[in-house]
Amino acid sequence: SQKIEQNSEALNIQEGKTATLTCNYTNYSPAYLQWYRQDPGRGPVFLLLIRENEKEKRKERLKVTFDTTLKQSLFHITASQPADSATYLCAHYSSASKIIFGSGTRLSIRP
Amino acid sequence: EAQVTQNPRYLITVTGKKLTVTCSQNMNHEYMSWYRQDPGLGLRQIYYSMNVEVTDKGDVPEGYKVSRKEKRNFPLILESPSPNQTSLYFCASSLRTGSALGSYNSPLHFGNGTRLTVT
């Protein structure tokens, strides 16, 4: 079955450094991957989408890469700030009606 | 402001007492869906709706009902809640999904969640 995996361990980094989160997928080749941010007790918020024919996508301090050979997407936050602390989810549509989410990686940025 | 509105935000109830969680979106989205989120299990889809009067089961539909009589509303009904339905629930909508080129990428817009406790 299609599976999308994220490192479930929390990531703690120093303010100002680049945070890198990983999303791996197995048993399929998604045409798109989406990234969401979720704050505690709140609904996920869409951040970025990357297509399989795009190597890289940027939005302000965010960058997403998509490596179809490694079956992996990386999500980078440059010049990280404490306000970036949240859980980040990757997701993709497995069919017209269903979007599969990874379990998310909790990111903590310490001042 | 474009949004998905869920009510209530918090709900404590007892086993067997029917309840409804409302969800409304103001973006004219065709697709709506309900998820539950539990520690260690991530987001799991309960039911979804591709359009008015079209609903179908997700991964964990047991114990839940939905209806889609109007495009904007997609209520979640628990006819006889049980303690294992204690969870954080999210409603979401997106512009459209389908087999047409370009539609497998519509981002989901989520509500702010309903934390349900069943004792």
Side-chain angles (χ1 to χ4, degrees), chain A residues 34 36 38 93 96-99, chain B residues 31 35 37 59 97 106 108:
Chain A
Q34 302 181 1
Y36 291 78
Q38 186 176 23
Y93 277 95
S97 59
K98 186 179 179 66
I99 183 166
Chain B
Y31 179 87
Y35 294 85
Q37 188 173 38
D59 294 320
T97 62
S106 301
L108 284 170

Side-chain angles (χ1 to χ4, degrees), chain A residues 31-32 34 36 38-46 49 51 87 89 92-103, chain B residues 9 31 35 37 42-43 45 48 50 59 88 90 94 97-99 102-108 110-113 115:
Chain A
Y32 309 89
Q34 302 181 1
Y36 291 78
Q38 186 176 23
D39 292 290
R42 313 291 285 190
V45 175
F46 172 75
L49 174 147
R51 294 175 173 77
T87 296
L89 306 168
H92 92 104
Y93 277 95
S94 65
S95 71
S97 59
K98 186 179 179 66
I99 183 166
I100 296 177
F101 286 87
S103 56
Chain B
R9 280 283 277 139
Y31 179 87
Y35 294 85
Q37 188 173 38
L43 282 162
Q45 190 179 47
Y48 65 92
M50 301 288 277
D59 294 320
L88 180 58
F90 292 104
S94 71
T97 62
S99 58
S103 59
Y104 274 66
N105 61 4
S106 301
L108 284 170
F110 283 85
N112 275 328
R115 188 168 291 281

Side-chain angles (χ1 to χ4, degrees), chain A residues 80-92:
Chain A
S80 59
Q81 305 166 359
D84 295 326
S85 298
T87 296
Y88 291 85
L89 306 168
C90 65
H92 92 104

